[in-house]
C-alpha cells in the first residue's frame, strides 16, 4: 500500500527518476536551487554591506563626538608639566599652583550643569559645538597670559568648555549607538581623554627645551588644535534620535535610526520604545520643562533614587581614588621617589600616559563581551593594590633605583587598572541607566559630582601631602579604593546587552540592584540575536 501510494503523492517520482539518469529534471531542480542560492547570497551580501556601512557610520559619530574629550585629557596632561615652567616664569606660590591646577575641575561643573540644559534645548550636537568654542577662547587667553590673573581667567573659560564637552559626549553616543555595541562606543570619550593626556605629556617633553617664558605657552596653545576638528565633525554627525523624538521630530529620528541600526524591524521597535519612554503622544511642553526635571531629581521615586545612587556614586568614586592627583602631580610623585631633573621627570610621566592609554583599549575590547561589573571588580581591586604599593614604596624604599622603579611601576599599574574599568565604565553607566526625559540632566549631575571630587582632590593634594607625606596620601587613596570595591558589589547592576529602555525597567524592579545580574539572563538571546 505504502509503496503504491508513493508515486501518487508525487514524491516517489522524483526519487525513482534520479538513479535512472533522468538528468533534465535534476538539472531543472539544480538551476532553481542555484537561482535561490544566488538570491539568498545577494541578500546576505547586501545585509553585510549595510552592516559594515552602519558600523562605520556609528563609529565615525562616536569618534567625532569624543573630540571634546581630547581637550580635557590634553589639559590634564599638559598642565602637569607646564606648571613646572609657569612657576618659574610667573613666580606663583604653591597655593596659586594648587588653585590653577585644581580649579579646572570645579569650574567645569558649571559647564556640565549648563550642558544638561542646553543639550535639552538646542540639542546634543550643538552643545558639542558650544563646548569647542568656549574652550578655544579660554586656551587662547591662557597662551597669551602676561600674569597669573589673566592665566586664571583663561583657565576658567577652558573649564566651562570642558564641562560642556565631558557631559554631553557619553550621552550623545549612548543615544545613537545600537544596543550590542553601546558599551564599547560610550567608552570612546574615555579613550580620547587618555589620548589627550598622553599628547599633553609628549608635548611637555617635546617643548621643555625652550625658555621657560615660551615653552609653557606653546604647550597650552597646541591644545586649541583638537577643537578645530570638532567644527568639521558638525557637518558629519546627525542629531541624537532620542532628542529628535523629544522634539516630536519623529521622521528625522527614524532616518537617523535607519543609518545607525542594521535591521529595519529593529529601527521601528527602537523608535516605538523611545516614543514610549519620551511620553510622546501626550507631549505637553511642561513634560520637558527644566523645573519638572529638577523637581523629579530632587525628590526621586524609589527607582530613580537607585539610579542616582549608582550613577552619582560611581562618578565620585572614579575621582576620590585619586586618579587626577596621580596624573596632575606625577612629576611631584616621581621627584619624591628620587628622580631628579625636569626632563627625566617628564620622560617618566610619558610612560604613565602610555600605560593609561594602552589599557583603555583593553576595556573597549572587553566591555561588551565580559560585561561592566567584572571589569569594575578587576579595576578597583587592582587600583587598591597599586595605590597601597605606591604608599609602601615611598615610605620604606627611599631614593634608590629599586624605589624609583617600583614607584613608576605602581603609578603605571594604578592608571592601567583605572583605564581597564572604572575610568570608562563610570561614563558608560551614567549615560545608560537614566530614563530619557531625565538623562541629560542626571548625567550632568553625575558629571558635577565627578568634577567636584576631582577639583577637591587636585586642589588639596600638595597641602595634604605636606601634612601627612605623599606616602600617607596614597595610603588614604588605597583605603578609598577598597571602599569602591564594596560599592560596586552592592550598588552596580550588570547592564550588558540591555537596551536603554530595558535598563530603565531593571531599576523599577523592587529588588533593583540585587536582581540585576539574574534578570539579565532573559536578554542573553538579545545579544546572540544581534
Amino acid at each position: 500500500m505504502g509503496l503504491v501510494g508513493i508515486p501518487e503523492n508525487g514524491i516517489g517520482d522524483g526519487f525513482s527518476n534520479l538513479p535512472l539518469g533522468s538528468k533534465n529534471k535534476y538539472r531543472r531542480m539544480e538551476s532553481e536551487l542555484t537561482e535561490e542560492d544566488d538570491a539568498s547570497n545577494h541578500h546576505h551580501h547586501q545585509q553585510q554591506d549595510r552592516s559594515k556601512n552602519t558600523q562605520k557610520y556609528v563609529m565615525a559619530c562616536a569618534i567625532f563626538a569624543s573630540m571634546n574629550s581630547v581637550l580635557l585629557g590634553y589639559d590634564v596632561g599638559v598642565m602637569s608639566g607646564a606648571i613646572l615652567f609657569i612657576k618659574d616664569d610667573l613666580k606663583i606660590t604653591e597655593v596659586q599652583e594648587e588653585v590653577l591646577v585644581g580649579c579646572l575641575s570645579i569650574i567645569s561643573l558649571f559647564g556640565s550643569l549648563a550642558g544638561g540644559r542646553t543639550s535639552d534645548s538646542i540639542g546634543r550636537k550643538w552643545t558639542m559645538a558650544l563646548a569647542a568654542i568656549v574652550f578655544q577662547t579660554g586656551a587662547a587667553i591662557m597662551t597669551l597670559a602676561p600674569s597669573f590673573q589673566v592665566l586664571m581667567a583663561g583657565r576658567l573659560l577652558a573649564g566651562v568648555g570642558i564641562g560642556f564637552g565631558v557631559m554631553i559626549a557619553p550621552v550623545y553616543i549612548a543615544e545613537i549607538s545600537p544596543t550590542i555595541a553601546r558599551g564599547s562606543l560610550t567608552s570612546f570619550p574615555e579613550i580620547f581623554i587618555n589620548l589627550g593626556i598622553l599628547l599633553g605629556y609628549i608635548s611637555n617633553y617635546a617643548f621643555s627645551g625652550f625658555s621657560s617664558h615660551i615653552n609653557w605657552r606653546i604647550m597650552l596653545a597646541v591644545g586649541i588644535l583638537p577643537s578645530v576638528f570638532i567644527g568639521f565633525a558638525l557637518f558629519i554627525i546627525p542629531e541624537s534620535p532620542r532628542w529628535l523624538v523629544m522634539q516630536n521630530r519623529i521622521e528625522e529620528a527614524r532616518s537617523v535610526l535607519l543609518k545607525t541600526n542594521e535591521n529595519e524591524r529593529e529601527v521601528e521597535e527602537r523608535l516605538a520604545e523611545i516614543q514610549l519612554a519620551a511620553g510622546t503622544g501626550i507631549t505637553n511642553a511642561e513634560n520637558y520643562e527644566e523645573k519638572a526635571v529638577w523637581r523629579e531629581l530632587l525628590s526621586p521615586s524609589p527607582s530613580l533614587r537607585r539610579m542616582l545612587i549608582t550613577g552619582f556614586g560611581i562618578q565620585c568614586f572614579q575621582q576620590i581614588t585619586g586618579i587626577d592627583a596621580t596624573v596632575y602631580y606625577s612629576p611631584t610623585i616621581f621627584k619624591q621617589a628620587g628622580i631628579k631633573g625636569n626632563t627625566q621627570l617628564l620622560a617618566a610621566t610619558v610612560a604613565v600616559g602610555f600605560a593609561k592609554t594602552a589599557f583603555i583599549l583593553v576595556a573597549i575590547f572587553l566591555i561588551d563581551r565580559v560585561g561592566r561589573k567584572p571589569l569594575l571588580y578587576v579595576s578597583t581591586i587592582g587600583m587598591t593594590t597599586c595605590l597601597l604599593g605606591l604608599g609602601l614604596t615611598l615610605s620604606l624604599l627611599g631614593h634608590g633605583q629599586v624605589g624609583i622603579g617600583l614607584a613608576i611601576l605602581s603609578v603605571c599599574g594604578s592608571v592601567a587598572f583605572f583605564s581597564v574599568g572604572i575610568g570608562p565604565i563610570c561614563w558608560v553607566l551614567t549615560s545608560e541607566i537614566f530614563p530619557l526625559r531625565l538623562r541629560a540632566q542626571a548625567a550632568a549631575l553625575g558629571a558635577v559630582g565627578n568634577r567636584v571630587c576631582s577639583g577637591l582632590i587636585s586642589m588639596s593634594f600638595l597641602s595634604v601631602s605636606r601634612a601627612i607625606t605623599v606616602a600617607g596620601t596614597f595610603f588614604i587613596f588605597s583605603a578609598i579604593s577598597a571602599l569602591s570595591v564594596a560599592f560596586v558589589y552592592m550598588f552596580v547592576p550588570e547592564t550588558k546587552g540591555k537596551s536603554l529602555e530595558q535598563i530603565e525597567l531593571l531599576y523599577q524592579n523592587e529588588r533593583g540592584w540585587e536582581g540585576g545580574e539574574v534578570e539579565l539572563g532573559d536578554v542573553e538571546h538579545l545579544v546572540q540575536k544581534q
Side-chain angles (χ1 to χ4, degrees):
M1 247 330 254
L3 291 170
V4 176
I6 290 173
E8 287 169 14
N9 293 337
I11 298 169
D13 195 39
F15 280 110
S16 59
N17 281 328
L18 286 177
L20 297 173
S22 177
K23 290 179 186 164
N24 290 339
K25 192 172 283 190
Y26 181 72
R27 277 197 195 120
R28 188 169 70 249
M29 284 172 68
E30 189 183 49
S31 65
E32 281 170 14
L33 282 170
T34 308
E35 281 167 24
E36 278 176 28
D37 283 350
D38 286 346
S40 161
N41 283 339
H42 181 64
H43 180 69
H44 182 63
H45 285 310
Q46 273 187 325
Q47 278 293 101
Q48 277 189 324
D49 289 344
R50 174 162 183 183
S51 173
K52 280 177 189 165
N53 289 339
T54 302
Q55 286 166 5
K56 282 179 190 167
Y57 186 73
V58 174
M59 181 85 76
C61 290
I63 288 170
F64 281 122
S66 305
M67 282 290 181
N68 273 315
S69 301
V70 175
L71 306 178
L72 171 61
Y74 185 82
D75 190 278
V76 169
V78 83
M79 195 50 85
S80 71
I83 197 72
L84 300 172
F85 306 107
I86 292 171
K87 276 197 294 189
D88 287 347
D89 187 29
L90 300 182
K91 304 291 184 280
I92 62 174
T93 65
E94 195 173 82
V95 173
Q96 286 175 320
E97 178 188 349
E98 280 186 319
V99 170
L100 184 65
V101 169
C103 75
L104 183 99
S105 297
I106 300 291
I107 295 303
S108 65
L109 74 89
F110 294 112
S112 291
L113 277 173
R117 183 169 189 167
T118 54
S119 67
D120 277 350
S121 54
I122 65 173
R124 295 6 179 181
K125 178 174 165 176
W126 294 106
T127 301
M128 287 188 250
L130 184 62
I133 292 164
V134 175
F135 179 85
Q136 275 180 325
T137 311
I141 291 171
M142 284 197 292
T143 302
L144 303 169
S147 65
F148 175 73
Q149 288 74 15
V150 178
L151 187 64
M152 276 299 296
R155 189 94 170 127
L156 298 183
L157 260 182
V160 171
I162 282 172
F164 273 118
V166 86
M167 169 262 147
I168 193 58
V171 170
Y172 173 84
I173 296 169
E175 291 186 347
I176 207 163
S177 303
T179 302
I180 194 72
R182 190 181 61 246
S184 299
L185 292 170
T186 313
S187 307
F188 271 37
E190 187 67 22
I191 296 185
F192 279 72
I193 287 175
N194 285 292
L195 183 61
I197 290 172
L198 179 58
L199 292 173
Y201 283 159
I202 292 170
S203 173
N204 286 338
Y205 186 68
F207 299 119
S208 61
F210 292 90
S211 76
S212 62
H213 178 65
I214 297 292
N215 56 13
W216 64 269
R217 296 177 193 277
I218 300 172
M219 292 171 190
L220 297 180
V222 172
I224 298 171
L225 294 176
S227 58
V228 175
F229 290 105
I230 296 164
F232 295 114
L234 297 173
F235 294 103
I236 296 170
I237 63 174
E239 186 48 86
S240 155
R242 287 173 170 85
W243 183 80
L244 291 169
V245 168
M246 282 167 69
Q247 304 302 307
N248 223 355
R249 289 154 62 178
I250 308 297
E251 282 311 309
E252 289 177 63
R254 181 180 280 110
S255 115
V256 174
L257 283 168
L258 282 166
K259 289 179 185 172
T260 58
N261 285 271
E262 297 163 25
N263 188 318
E264 285 185 34
R265 187 169 58 81
E266 190 184 314
V267 166
E268 293 307 320
E269 284 174 10
R270 191 69 69 246
L271 190 60
E273 275 183 0
I274 295 168
Q275 283 178 267
L276 189 66
T280 339
I282 43 162
T283 42
N284 301 321
E286 301 92 62
N287 272 3
Y288 303 111
E289 264 187 16
E290 193 74 15
K291 285 178 188 168
V293 169
W294 280 106
R295 196 178 299 129
E296 195 170 343
L297 286 172
L298 292 171
S299 55
S301 63
S303 63
L304 181 56
R305 189 178 300 116
R306 289 193 278 270
M307 292 174 188
L308 287 168
I309 290 171
T310 301
F312 199 73
I314 199 78
Q315 288 279 10
C316 292
F317 270 113
Q318 193 216 40
Q319 288 300 331
I320 57 177
T321 47
I323 186 65
D324 275 7
T326 308
V327 172
Y328 273 128
Y329 296 110
S330 49
T332 306
I333 297 163
F334 293 141
K335 194 181 281 186
Q336 185 73 24
I339 299 177
K340 295 178 176 66
N342 285 345
T343 308
Q344 285 90 336
L345 287 173
L346 296 177
T349 60
V350 172
V352 176
F354 271 111
K356 200 166 187 304
T357 308
F359 279 86
I360 188 77
L361 300 175
V362 176
I364 300 314
F365 180 73
L366 294 177
I367 194 167
D368 282 319
R369 290 172 173 81
V370 175
R372 283 59 159 158
K373 205 157 177 172
L375 286 182
L376 281 172
Y377 281 136
V378 170
S379 174
T380 48
I381 293 167
M383 282 172 67
T384 305
T385 308
C386 290
L387 291 167
L388 180 63
L390 182 58
L392 291 169
T393 300
L394 294 176
S395 59
L396 301 177
L397 293 174
H399 286 52
Q401 288 301 310
V402 175
I404 290 172
L406 283 174
I408 293 173
L409 189 64
S410 299
V411 172
C412 288
S414 175
V415 298
F417 279 117
F418 176 88
S419 289
V420 160
I422 200 166
I425 291 171
C426 136
W427 298 106
V428 173
L429 282 172
T430 47
S431 62
E432 67 185 4
I433 62 175
F434 293 106
L436 174 62
R437 67 188 180 283
L438 305 172
R439 185 171 299 134
Q441 303 289 3
L445 196 62
V448 166
N450 184 287
R451 297 292 86 205
V452 168
C453 292
S454 168
L456 292 174
I457 297 291
S458 303
M459 289 173 84
S460 61
F461 180 79
L462 292 178
S463 303
V464 173
S465 297
R466 203 181 318 106
I468 63 167
T469 73
V470 175
T473 310
F474 279 97
F475 285 134
I476 291 173
F477 287 149
S478 176
I480 296 169
S481 187
L483 287 176
S484 72
V485 182
F487 178 85
V488 169
Y489 175 74
M490 292 169 69
F491 299 124
V492 179
E494 181 57 80
T495 55
K496 177 182 74 130
K498 273 193 174 284
S499 74
L500 297 176
E501 289 68 30
Q502 285 172 320
I503 292 168
E504 190 178 338
L505 292 173
L506 169 65
Y507 274 93
Q508 285 167 8
N509 171 12
E510 277 296 317
R511 294 182 63 235
W513 305 312
E514 309 92 35
E517 285 134 301
V518 179
E519 196 187 338
L520 276 172
D522 64 13
V523 288
E524 283 288 305
H525 69 278
L526 179 73
V527 181
Q528 287 158 5
K529 188 172 72 180
Q530 291 181 326

